[in-house]
Amino acid sequence: KDASIAADKMNVVYRGLENPLTVSISGVPNNKVSVSGSGIRKVGDGKYLVVPSTGTTTSITATATLDDGSKVSSSKQFRIKNIPSPKGKISGKTGSVRLNKRDVTTSKILASFEGFVYDLNPSVYSFDLTISGQTPLSISGSNLDANAKAAVNSAPRKSTITIDNIRVRVQGVSVLIPEADPIIIQLTN
């Protein structure tokens, strides 16, 4: 017999994502187990995906039909959490970075979910760039446009550039992804 071991505080599913679950009841074949809950669908033998949408908790119930026709049920509560904020990234770096003007103007603005349990691939579709003391520039896409490149190239030596309001989307994810954490760049030239 297999042991059933669960981390009680880790019963978490993420809103808008396909959260994989394995459901089984000891001693009962999978074809005699039915599973119910909001946003759940079967994808294989004992394998399910749950995509929670609203609320802060969801309950998944497994019901087994025993050989004598009687039924036994077991439910488990899961906390529903939002997808965390990704981190803005330039030149492979996040947070506060030191770069030269050429690296800033030629690098793509990216976002990443570092250390998140799901392998999500976010794409940046717009961001703001502010050079210390100047008006912010709003940029569509993930590359600096001609105006932004000109502003960076004419920025005084050792200026600080803030890249924020980094808006991202993840293909196949229907919920709004939080803006990525900003990038603060200290120009080295």
Side-chain angles (χ1 to χ4, degrees):
K1 291 245 183 241
D2 283 344
S4 174
I5 301 170
D8 294 336
K9 293 284 186 201
M10 300 310 236
N11 293 330
V12 171
V13 289
Y14 289 91
R15 191 177 324 279
L17 295 183
E18 292 186 327
N19 298 270
L21 296 178
T22 300
V23 180
S24 65
I25 296 178
S26 184
V28 179
N30 285 334
N31 64 349
K32 299 275 188 187
V33 175
S34 69
V35 178
S36 62
S38 178
I40 195 161
R41 67 185 165 89
K42 187 171 186 163
V43 292
D45 201 22
K47 302 288 185 190
Y48 298 83
L49 290 175
V50 62
V51 183
S53 55
T54 58
T56 55
T57 61
T58 188
S59 185
I60 305 296
T61 302
T63 304
T65 304
L66 304 179
D67 291 340
D68 65 5
S70 63
K71 293 184 185 292
V72 292
S73 284
S74 178
S75 286
K76 192 149 204 143
Q77 280 279 110
F78 290 86
R79 290 179 297 141
I80 300 172
K81 291 182 81 175
N82 290 324
I83 296 171
S85 295
K87 295 196 176 308
K89 200 171 200 175
I90 185 169
S91 228
K93 299 178 174 120
T94 62
S96 193
V97 302
R98 294 173 54 81
L99 292 173
N100 64 41
K101 290 178 181 180
R102 189 181 56 76
D103 286 346
V104 174
T105 57
T106 59
S107 293
K108 205 176 180 134
I109 305 304
L110 302 171
S112 70
F113 290 95
E114 307 206 346
F116 186 47
V117 294
Y118 286 88
D119 192 15
L120 300 179
N121 191 10
S123 60
V124 171
Y125 64 89
S126 70
F127 61 94
D128 292 346
L129 180 142
T130 310
I131 297 170
S132 39
Q134 296 182 24
T135 306
L137 300 170
S138 290
I139 298 153
S140 287
S142 58
N143 293 309
L144 274 67
D145 60 18
N147 285 346
K149 287 179 181 180
V152 169
N153 285 325
S154 64
R157 199 173 141 73
K158 308 262 187 196
S159 290
T160 299
I161 299 172
T162 303
I163 295 177
D164 60 0
N165 297 323
I166 304 168
R167 290 176 280 291
V168 301
R169 59 174 69 96
V170 175
Q171 194 170 355
V173 175
S174 58
V175 295
L176 191 67
I177 306 290
E179 286 182 356
D181 294 342
I183 308 163
I184 310 298
I185 302 163
Q186 186 75 50
L187 285 179
T188 57
N189 61 346

